[in-house]
Amino acid sequence: MSFDLKFYFRIFLIRLPLFLAVFIPAVAIGLAIASSLPKKYRAQAFLLVESSQIPSDLAASTVRTELSDQVQVIQQKLMTRDNLLDLAYRFGLFSDEPDLQPEEIIARMRDRVWMRLTMGRQQATIFTITAEAKNGETAAGIVNALVDQVLEQDAAFRTEVASDTLLFFEKEVRRLGDALDAANTRILDFQNKNVDALPETLDFRMGRQSLLQERMTQIRREIGQLNDQRRRLSELFQTTGRTEAQPRRALSPEEEELEQLNAELREALSVYSDTHPRVAMLRSRIGTLEAVLEARNPDAEPETPGERVFNAQIVEIDSQLEALHDTISDLEPEIASLQATIERTPTNAITLSAMERDRANIQRQYDTAVSRLSAAATGERIEVLSKGQRLSVIERAVPPARPSEPKMILMGAGAVGLGLVLGIVAVVLREILNPKIRRPAEISKKLGITPLGTIPFVDTPGERWRQRGLRSAALVVVIAGIVGALIFIDRQVSPLDQIAQKVLRQGRL
């Protein structure tokens, strides 16, 4: 038996009142249930993660934390127990449930407030804050309060990091400056204590030592020559009783020597100062000779001219030898002192080199710290002026005009679908339970005979009027249902004019 679509359609029209009697209450009940569910309003705010407004190659911020990581830290801080409780009490979210425990409040708040960070390659990084509440004003208030906290914590975090960095380098510069001053003081004290044995004067002292040693060698040579001269003069006088200078002297030996010493004193004063050993020695000898001449006994036996000349020469040689020995006595301590300082110089050089190396290290650290202090000051200024990476508000939350839950369109569609299914099931069951025979094919199937012909059923005028009335009533019910659905959509879902505008815009696209 083939499927007769027209027959089943006529059956559906006949059973349309039954279908509507099931469909309309089912849809009405579904819409009533959807309308009776508690409404939830959802508000959202969008923040943009902005990059630094100043090129990093010109001036870099000292806050090196990635802003996405920082946002996640801020998110964790906002979702803490204390902050969620503060939001719940501030906006009176659970004022109608006074017995609600803090743990339950926190659990519900975490279900109603959530945040999402959206990022990707070659895409802007967006931070979204969403909150749900029983009315739109409360939801928007919660979101905007969270936005203010995010901006405040972002600015506070970046400013605090930049300020801490600047403070650290300020302390570091002061510490290294004090260390550098202390190193300079140690070096200066060491140089003052070892001023006679510093490496920079080593060449001078070695030259001075060589000069003094040459001078001592010359003096010893002169002493040797004078000793030889004295010895030869004594041998000559003892052998011959005269000296080579005897024929040329007209004055007494003391007078001649005194005249010679005065001449030498005048020459010495033109070269040396009054305190020089040479001048002092000449003055001493002159005083001795003058005392000898004044105290000479006139009754004593006068010396022969040769003796006078010999004694005068001996006295002069002895005086020269005494002066030379005095000079050696003066030079030997100075040479020994120079030798001691020269021997101390290598140790002092090593110590001074180590101290200067430490100072150079501190100087390099100080220069680096000063450079970083300048960079930290620039970075701190960038963060104070909000010229670095930051979060900026793209769109603050506004009170939503329509609730986000329940999903009226979805629930309305579900109610209509359920009504259709129930209506069709009712019609099918009614037909299954109906024993009447409506088609010739059913006569052969149910009675097992083949009819010679069939006479169609002819409705009476009353039956036709009754059927028309039922159809009119069904049409009225359908129209009323459509009107009610449109009113429900306009009031509960979205205004019809807005839906029409969206449809028109999509049609133009």
Side-chain angles (χ1 to χ4, degrees):
M1 181 177 62
S2 60
F3 183 77
D4 190 354
L5 182 62
K6 294 176 64 177
F7 170 75
Y8 288 109
F9 181 70
R10 287 196 303 270
I11 294 298
F12 179 76
L13 292 179
I14 294 172
R15 302 302 180 186
L16 183 59
L18 176 60
F19 173 80
L20 294 177
V22 175
F23 172 76
I24 292 175
V27 173
I29 292 172
L31 295 179
I33 292 174
S35 300
S36 65
L37 292 176
K39 295 180 177 59
K40 295 181 181 180
Y41 291 81
R42 181 178 299 173
Q44 284 186 328
F46 301 93
L47 293 88
L48 175 65
V49 179
E50 291 185 315
S51 59
S52 177
Q53 302 179 22
I54 299 176
S56 58
D57 55 345
L58 297 179
S61 172
T62 52
V63 182
R64 301 302 173 86
T65 304
E66 289 293 336
L67 198 53
S68 57
D69 298 337
Q70 181 183 338
V71 168
Q72 293 177 1
V73 173
I74 293 174
Q75 179 179 351
Q76 295 300 321
K77 290 182 178 179
L78 295 181
M79 299 301 291
T80 57
R81 171 190 178 93
D82 293 339
N83 193 58
L84 292 178
L85 286 175
D86 178 69
L87 288 174
Y89 293 141
R90 190 196 312 176
F91 292 95
L93 298 181
F94 307 102
S95 57
D96 55 344
E97 300 180 73
D99 298 333
L100 204 61
Q101 296 299 318
E103 289 74 14
E104 296 176 343
I105 294 176
I106 293 170
R108 292 191 185 182
M109 286 296 295
R110 286 175 177 168
D111 292 335
R112 296 185 180 188
V113 177
W114 61 92
M115 306 173 191
R116 184 177 71 255
L117 186 66
T118 305
M119 63 177 65
R121 294 185 59 185
Q122 299 180 352
Q123 293 181 359
T125 302
I126 304 298
F127 185 49
T128 307
I129 301 177
T130 308
E132 284 184 349
K134 295 179 180 179
N135 56 75
E137 291 76 9
T138 302
I142 293 174
V143 172
N144 290 328
L146 291 173
V147 169
D148 293 337
Q149 290 182 4
V150 169
L151 296 178
E152 180 182 353
Q153 291 194 18
D154 176 60
F157 172 79
R158 302 187 69 83
T159 304
E160 181 181 0
V161 171
S163 300
D164 290 344
T165 304
L166 178 62
L167 180 61
F168 170 78
F169 281 110
E170 286 177 348
K171 293 181 179 180
E172 191 69 6
V173 167
R174 286 196 297 269
R175 181 185 69 82
L176 292 173
D178 294 340
L180 190 60
D181 293 339
N184 290 329
T185 302
R186 288 195 299 270
I187 292 175
L188 182 60
D189 293 341
F190 182 81
Q191 289 177 339
N192 290 335
K193 293 178 181 179
N194 300 274
V195 67
D196 57 342
L198 296 177
E200 54 265 25
T201 62
L202 179 61
D203 294 339
F204 170 76
R205 286 179 281 114
M206 293 182 68
R208 175 68 176 169
Q209 184 186 40
S210 299
L211 181 63
L212 294 179
Q213 289 175 346
E214 291 177 0
R215 175 63 177 156
M216 287 190 64
T217 302
Q218 182 180 359
I219 291 173
R220 289 193 177 95
R221 190 182 303 116
E222 291 178 359
I223 290 174
Q225 292 174 357
L226 289 174
N227 286 328
D228 291 341
Q229 181 181 355
R230 189 176 187 281
R231 181 179 53 77
R232 288 194 302 270
L233 185 61
S234 297
E235 291 177 354
L236 178 61
F237 181 76
Q238 291 175 2
T239 304
T240 62
R242 63 183 180 84
T243 64
E244 295 178 350
Q246 183 179 356
R248 296 194 300 269
R249 294 184 181 273
L251 300 175
S252 64
E254 292 81 4
E255 293 173 346
E256 188 177 11
E257 182 181 2
L258 183 60
E259 183 178 354
Q260 183 179 0
L261 290 175
N262 286 327
E264 292 179 0
L265 178 60
R266 287 192 295 273
E267 292 178 359
L269 288 174
S270 64
V271 178
Y272 305 109
S273 63
D274 292 340
T275 59
H276 195 271
R278 176 71 175 173
V279 175
M281 182 268 295
L282 291 174
R283 285 178 174 172
S284 177
R285 290 171 60 190
I286 290 172
T288 301
L289 288 176
E290 288 177 349
V292 170
L293 290 175
E294 289 178 359
R296 176 172 291 179
N297 187 359
D299 297 333
E301 182 179 356
E303 295 179 345
T304 63
E307 289 179 347
R308 289 197 298 271
V309 172
F310 172 73
N311 291 331
Q313 291 179 346
I314 292 298
V315 170
E316 181 179 2
I317 292 172
D318 291 340
S319 299
Q320 292 178 0
L321 289 172
E322 183 181 359
L324 292 175
H325 284 296
D326 291 340
T327 303
I328 290 177
S329 300
D330 294 338
L331 293 178
E332 285 178 346
E334 184 176 359
I335 293 174
S337 176
L338 289 173
Q339 182 63 33
T341 60
I342 291 172
E343 292 175 354
R344 286 165 47 206
T345 300
T347 303
N348 291 343
I350 294 173
T351 304
L352 189 61
S353 175
M355 297 174 70
E356 290 177 346
R357 184 170 59 252
D358 293 340
R359 181 182 63 179
N361 292 333
I362 297 174
Q363 183 68 52
R364 284 193 295 271
Q365 296 177 13
Y366 178 80
D367 295 340
T368 302
V370 170
S371 175
R372 292 178 178 176
L373 174 62
S374 177
T378 303
E380 192 263 349
R381 191 63 181 168
I382 289 174
E383 295 302 332
V384 169
L385 297 177
S386 298
K387 299 298 183 182
Q389 286 186 336
R390 61 174 183 172
L391 286 169
S392 61
V393 179
I394 299 177
E395 181 181 354
R396 281 188 172 270
V398 295
R402 301 292 179 184
S404 59
E405 289 184 7
K407 304 291 185 182
M408 291 301 181
I409 295 179
L410 183 61
M411 296 193 70
V416 171
L418 180 61
L420 289 174
V421 171
L422 293 177
I424 292 173
V425 169
V427 171
V428 171
L429 291 176
R430 180 69 180 84
E431 288 301 315
I432 292 174
L433 298 176
N434 186 10
K436 293 181 180 181
I437 296 175
R438 294 186 176 86
R439 294 181 297 172
E442 294 180 359
I443 297 174
S444 301
K445 181 179 179 182
K446 292 185 177 181
L447 300 178
I449 61 175
T450 302
L452 297 175
T454 57
I455 300 173
F457 181 79
V458 178
D459 292 330
T460 62
E463 291 177 346
R464 286 195 295 269
W465 280 106
R466 184 172 59 84
Q467 292 177 0
R468 290 174 183 174
L470 291 175
R471 291 173 184 173
S472 300
L475 181 61
V476 170
V477 171
V478 170
I479 293 173
I482 293 173
V483 172
L486 292 176
I487 294 174
F488 176 80
I489 292 173
D490 182 73
R491 293 182 179 179
Q492 300 294 333
V493 180
S494 179
L496 293 177
D497 55 348
Q498 295 182 6
I499 296 176
Q501 291 176 2
K502 291 181 181 178
V503 172
L504 291 176
R505 282 198 299 269
Q506 291 178 357
R508 294 192 191 101
L509 296 177

